[in-house]
């Protein structure tokens, strides 16, 4: 059964710092991996989608990488800002039990201090 | 504006009551999903639908029911059989069911048992 793990569970950094969030998955047979941001009490906002054939995707100050063989993805945030404070979740699309499904990690809660 | 609308934002349920959460999308997406999120936990799939008049159970379907009579609507009923319904409920949609496509989320509904 696919498991998605995010480490650390929480992270606190000073403003301006570059940081990396980690995501690992146990089964490398995934279709793609998606990173989301969730503000407290809100829905999820898609940040980046990496297809299984891709190595990385970039959007502004965000860069996500994918290494299927090792079952790992990282989300790099450059020059962090207080507005980046949120919970970041990764999720993988895979086939399980004969149907396609999206499996989520529990998230990393990021706090960027002014 | 295009998007996913969930209502109500906050809902209180008495013991033994059924309640229905609304989810409407105007993105012309084929697939729709319901997830449950508990504090400190990842999202867990309740039900999903890839086409009108068809839906499939997710990982935690017991105590829940859905319908998909229209492409844009996917209401979730939390029945009295659901013993621990207090949670944050998220509705989502995507162009095609399954892998390769970005999934979009609504703002969520908070359900509390009183």
């Amino acid at each position: 059964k696919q498991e998605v793990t995010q480490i650390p569970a929480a992270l606190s950094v000073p403003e301006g710092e570059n940081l990396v969030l980690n995501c690992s998955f146990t089964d490398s047979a995934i279709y793609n991996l998606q990173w989301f941001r969730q503000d407290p009490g809100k829905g999820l906002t898609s940040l980046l989608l990496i297809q299984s054939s891709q190595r990385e995707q970039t959007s502004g100050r965000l860069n996500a990488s994918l290494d299927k063989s090792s079952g790992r993805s990282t989300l790099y945030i450059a020059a962090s800002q207080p507005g980046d404070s949120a919970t970041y979740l990764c999720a993988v699309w895979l086939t399980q039990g004969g149907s396609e499904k999206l499996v989520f990690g529990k998230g990393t809660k990021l706090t960027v201090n002014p | 504006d295009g998007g996913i609308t969930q209502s109500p934002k906050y809902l209180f349920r008495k013991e033994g009551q059924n309640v229905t959460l609304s989810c409407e999308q105007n993105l012309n997406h084929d697939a729709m999903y319901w997830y449950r999120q508990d504090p400190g936990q990842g999202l867990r799939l309740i039900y999903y639908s890839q086409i009108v008049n068809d839906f499939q159970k997710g990982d935690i379907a017991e105590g829940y029911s859905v319908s998909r009579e229209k492409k844009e609507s996917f209401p979730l009923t939390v029945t009295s059989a659901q013993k621990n319904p207090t949670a944050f409920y998220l509705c989502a949609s995507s162009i095609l069911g399954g892998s390769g496509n970005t999934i979009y989320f609504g703002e969520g509904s908070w359900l509390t048992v009183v």
Side-chain angles (χ1 to χ4, degrees):
Chain A
K1 180 180 177 182
Q2 177 74 268
E3 291 185 0
V4 179
T5 303
Q6 292 186 248
I7 295 174
L11 181 64
S12 182
V13 300
E15 182 177 3
E17 192 163 297
N18 301 328
L19 59 99
V20 174
L21 306 180
N22 297 294
C23 174
S24 62
F25 45 95
T26 53
D27 186 344
S28 63
I30 65 169
Y31 294 111
N32 62 41
L33 184 143
Q34 196 163 355
W35 281 93
F36 298 88
R37 168 187 173 135
Q38 185 176 30
D39 293 293
K42 300 288 188 180
L44 277 65
T45 300
S46 178
L47 298 173
L48 291 164
L49 172 70
I50 311 177
Q51 302 289 352
S52 61
S53 58
Q54 296 175 319
R55 284 281 190 171
E56 64 179 297
Q57 281 285 338
T58 299
S59 176
R61 293 182 295 108
L62 305 179
N63 176 275
S65 68
L66 175 64
D67 184 342
K68 274 185 60 177
S69 61
S70 66
R72 299 178 68 177
S73 175
T74 60
L75 179 66
Y76 175 83
I77 302 177
S80 59
Q81 303 170 357
D84 294 331
S85 297
T87 296
Y88 291 81
L89 296 101
C90 70
V92 296
W93 275 110
L94 52 96
T95 298
Q96 193 171 85
S99 60
E100 294 179 347
K101 61 187 302 184
L102 192 60
V103 179
F104 283 85
K106 294 182 179 181
T108 294
K109 184 177 181 180
L110 173 66
T111 303
V112 180
N113 300 300
Chain B
D1 289 346
I4 302 173
T5 302
Q6 290 187 237
S7 63
K9 178 68 176 178
Y10 300 97
L11 186 60
F12 298 90
R13 192 193 93 168
K14 294 182 180 179
E15 294 285 348
Q17 230 179 18
N18 292 351
V19 294
T20 298
L21 306 180
S22 170
C23 178
E24 303 278 332
Q25 55 99 358
N26 60 4
L27 300 169
N28 200 32
H29 286 172
D30 297 298
M32 297 187 74
Y33 313 82
W34 274 106
Y35 288 90
R36 169 180 173 144
Q37 187 177 33
D38 294 283
Q41 300 294 317
L43 278 69
R44 292 183 291 169
L45 182 63
I46 305 172
Y47 267 99
Y48 65 101
S49 169
Q50 298 191 0
I51 194 170
V52 172
N53 292 322
D54 185 57
F55 48 83
Q56 305 294 328
K57 292 182 178 180
D59 298 318
I60 55 166
E62 185 175 353
Y64 299 97
S65 66
V66 294
S67 63
R68 186 86 185 276
E69 297 177 0
K70 298 185 295 182
K71 187 177 184 179
E72 59 270 23
S73 179
F74 192 39
L76 174 74
T77 296
V78 185
T79 74
S80 57
Q82 172 50 238
K83 298 306 179 187
N84 185 24
T86 296
F88 188 48
Y89 291 86
L90 287 159
C91 179
S93 71
S94 64
I95 295 175
L96 295 171
S99 61
N101 297 288
T102 300
I103 186 170
Y104 297 89
F105 283 82
E107 286 295 291
S109 293
W110 289 94
L111 174 61
T112 303
V113 174
V114 297

